[in-house]
Amino acid sequence: MKRLLLAAIALTSLTANATQSYSFLSGGYQFTRVAENGMGQYFADKYNNSEDSKYLHGLYFRGSWNFYDHFFAEYRTGATTRSSSTLVQDYLAMGYYIPLATDTSIYASMGYSGYNAERDIDAGCGLLDNDKECKKRTFSEDGSGISGEIGLRFKPLRWLQMEPSYRYTDFGKKGQHELRLTNLIEFTQHSALELNAGYRHWDNLDETNYQVGYRYSF
């Protein structure tokens, strides 16, 4: 009986560990940089930033639920905007993780990713008060496809968790590659500050994302 009790305590401790927890909610501020010629990947010949980078600001959200054993479901989204452009991309998936040690685990997930991009093609047309059609010149482009991700979680320091990952998405017009580095500065076992960075490459698109937010693990 004593051995069973000790085993139960050890299992509870492992499950409650924030590093091993795949049940959490997080969100915060996102800054996006689209390098030269990148907007053309979203808007084709309607608009492209051929001479300089574009900078957008917005929000991100990520939620994960470890619903059975080592299986989890996840949803994440990020939306950024500037005066006349808005970019949104999300990911909905099911995954499985394998604990390697108390503070280390690997995971893989597979699901569905989508994007939406909107652009006011003729932003200056508002000056033409008599042109009623001018107000309707907003171009929207969206797409979706199968997406898969692999990642690693580990703690190089007692208060720091790191999660490098790679995701591939088939949007049809060539595949999109995404590298992410999620960093958690833990205040308590369940509460942490997120400092994240990500990079997407998709044909002519080079997009960098930076995030600052809060995570609650349960």
Side-chain angles (χ1 to χ4, degrees):
M1 178 63 71
K2 184 177 180 180
R3 291 182 179 179
L4 290 175
L5 181 60
L6 290 175
I9 293 174
L11 180 61
T12 301
S13 176
L14 179 63
T15 303
N17 187 283
T19 305
Q20 295 294 348
S21 175
Y22 280 73
S23 292
F24 61 84
L25 295 173
S26 66
Y29 166 75
Q30 177 171 310
F31 170 77
T32 297
R33 173 184 177 271
V34 179
E36 297 88 339
N37 293 311
M39 287 292 191
Q41 189 66 22
Y42 289 116
F43 301 111
D45 58 349
K46 300 294 183 180
Y47 170 71
N48 191 22
N49 56 322
S50 57
E51 297 182 357
D52 54 7
S53 300
K54 294 299 181 183
Y55 304 95
L56 301 91
H57 305 268
L59 300 173
Y60 79 94
F61 170 81
R62 183 180 180 187
S64 180
W65 177 36
N66 181 194
F67 60 90
Y68 176 75
D69 192 33
H70 293 164
F71 291 93
F72 66 92
E74 179 178 352
Y75 174 72
R76 74 176 75 124
T77 186
T80 52
T81 187
R82 53 177 286 135
S83 58
S84 54
S85 300
T86 299
L87 304 178
V88 181
Q89 189 165 148
D90 52 23
Y91 178 55
L92 177 63
M94 298 278 289
Y96 185 84
Y97 74 93
I98 302 174
L100 302 179
T102 302
D103 293 328
T104 305
S105 64
I106 59 173
Y107 72 88
S109 63
M110 180 67 70
Y112 192 76
S113 181
Y115 74 90
N116 176 262
E118 292 188 356
R119 169 75 184 179
D120 183 355
I121 300 302
D122 198 354
C125 69
L127 299 175
L128 305 176
D129 295 335
N130 296 325
D131 188 353
K132 297 181 180 180
E133 294 298 322
C134 183
K135 299 179 181 179
K136 299 179 181 180
R137 293 175 184 171
T138 298
F139 180 77
S140 179
E141 178 70 21
D142 53 40
S144 58
I146 300 298
S147 185
E149 179 172 293
I150 56 174
L152 170 70
R153 290 186 184 181
F154 64 97
K155 294 186 70 172
L157 300 172
R158 181 180 58 82
W159 48 268
L160 174 64
Q161 173 185 302
M162 303 183 72
E163 180 187 317
S165 64
Y166 166 77
R167 182 163 67 95
Y168 176 82
T169 304
D170 182 9
F171 282 136
K173 299 183 294 184
K174 296 190 176 181
Q176 183 186 88
H177 304 271
E178 179 180 86
L179 297 173
R180 287 189 308 110
L181 179 61
T182 300
N183 300 289
L184 296 183
I185 299 176
E186 298 178 352
F187 303 131
T188 68
Q189 189 178 45
H190 303 285
S191 181
L193 171 69
E194 281 194 342
L195 299 173
N196 310 326
Y199 170 75
R200 291 174 181 155
H201 177 73
W202 180 22
D203 199 11
N204 294 321
L205 173 70
D206 286 307
E207 179 181 308
T208 308
N209 297 296
Y210 300 96
Q211 299 173 339
V212 179
Y214 171 80
R215 176 182 294 195
Y216 178 78
S217 301
F218 51 92

